[in-house]
Amino acid sequence: MSAGIDQSHHVKFNLQEEEIKNHHENLDIVKIDGNKYDINLGYLKIDHFYKVVFSLKLDGNYKNVVFVPHLSSPQVSLKELKNKSDLSKGEYEMCFVFYASKEKHDKETACLRLGDDEANILEINFEAKVLGAHQGTPLLRNGITLLPNHTNHLDSKSIQKLHFNIN
């Protein structure tokens, strides 16, 4: 046995950027039109809270971006929003809490007002395949973290005030 390592026997992965982008472990973020996005969260577990962190590059730069709870699903709440870089680039990092409330297919919407114009709304549709209580444990995609599940929170009318300390 030789002391040196033969480099020709090592596996080298030469992934193209498109393969990395479409990998099943990453959040699938699709811009539908203008200010409407669909985000596929993959598989989640029923009656669990998840922290979802991702970045979006918006068409404009907005100093005032506000979560609009009355237009959003009660199972989604915005926890943190910050400019990822210079304001002129319009890239924002967002952190939401998503509650998987419906078994099989769950689609929830979060709406944010961009700027001072009431009609300028960013719509983010979260879509997940939700496993039942006895269907195993899902592999979470990058950017998704399981939060501690507190059963007394499940009886509340809204999760808007829940999980405010999630860092």
Side-chain angles (χ1 to χ4, degrees):
M1 189 171 210
S2 71
I5 297 175
D6 186 1
Q7 295 296 329
S8 64
H9 293 291
H10 285 277
V11 178
K12 293 182 175 94
F13 294 101
N14 191 7
L15 296 176
Q16 302 300 319
E17 187 174 323
E18 192 64 27
E19 288 176 301
I20 293 170
K21 181 180 171 189
N22 292 328
H23 196 268
H24 69 278
E25 290 181 1
N26 296 321
L27 287 175
D28 186 18
I29 302 174
V30 177
K31 183 175 183 174
I32 302 302
D33 62 30
N35 289 331
K36 186 174 182 180
Y37 291 84
D38 282 350
I39 300 179
N40 187 330
L41 303 176
Y43 287 94
L44 303 178
K45 186 90 167 175
I46 190 80
D47 291 333
H48 284 73
F49 291 92
Y50 295 91
K51 175 177 147 181
V52 182
V53 179
F54 58 92
S55 295
L56 285 182
K57 182 158 177 52
L58 303 178
D59 293 334
N61 57 341
Y62 304 97
K63 291 181 181 176
N64 188 21
V65 179
V66 179
F67 182 68
V68 185
H70 69 277
L71 295 177
S72 302
S73 301
Q75 287 76 21
V76 178
S77 61
L78 178 69
K79 292 300 158 197
E80 188 177 11
L81 174 73
K82 59 184 173 183
N83 295 323
K84 193 169 180 182
S85 57
D86 183 15
L87 259 179
S88 63
K89 299 192 187 213
E91 193 167 359
Y92 296 88
E93 184 172 295
M94 301 179 183
C95 176
F96 286 88
V97 170
F98 182 91
Y99 174 61
S101 63
K102 299 176 202 157
E103 216 172 303
K104 296 189 181 187
H105 184 254
D106 195 354
K107 189 170 185 180
E108 306 294 343
T109 302
C111 295
L112 291 90
R113 188 180 70 236
L114 303 173
D116 297 325
D117 182 9
E118 295 287 327
N120 195 8
I121 298 291
L122 170 65
E123 181 180 320
I124 303 171
N125 295 308
F126 295 94
E127 191 169 354
K129 293 178 181 158
V130 181
L131 301 175
H134 303 289
Q135 290 184 305
T137 304
L139 173 67
L140 299 179
R141 292 184 175 189
N142 297 331
I144 301 176
T145 307
L146 176 66
L147 296 174
N149 208 3
H150 302 290
T151 54
N152 59 337
H153 291 280
L154 301 178
D155 296 328
S156 75
K157 294 179 183 174
S158 171
I159 67 160
Q160 301 301 327
K161 296 179 182 176
L162 302 179
H163 293 289
F164 42 85
N165 189 12
I166 58 175
N167 291 330

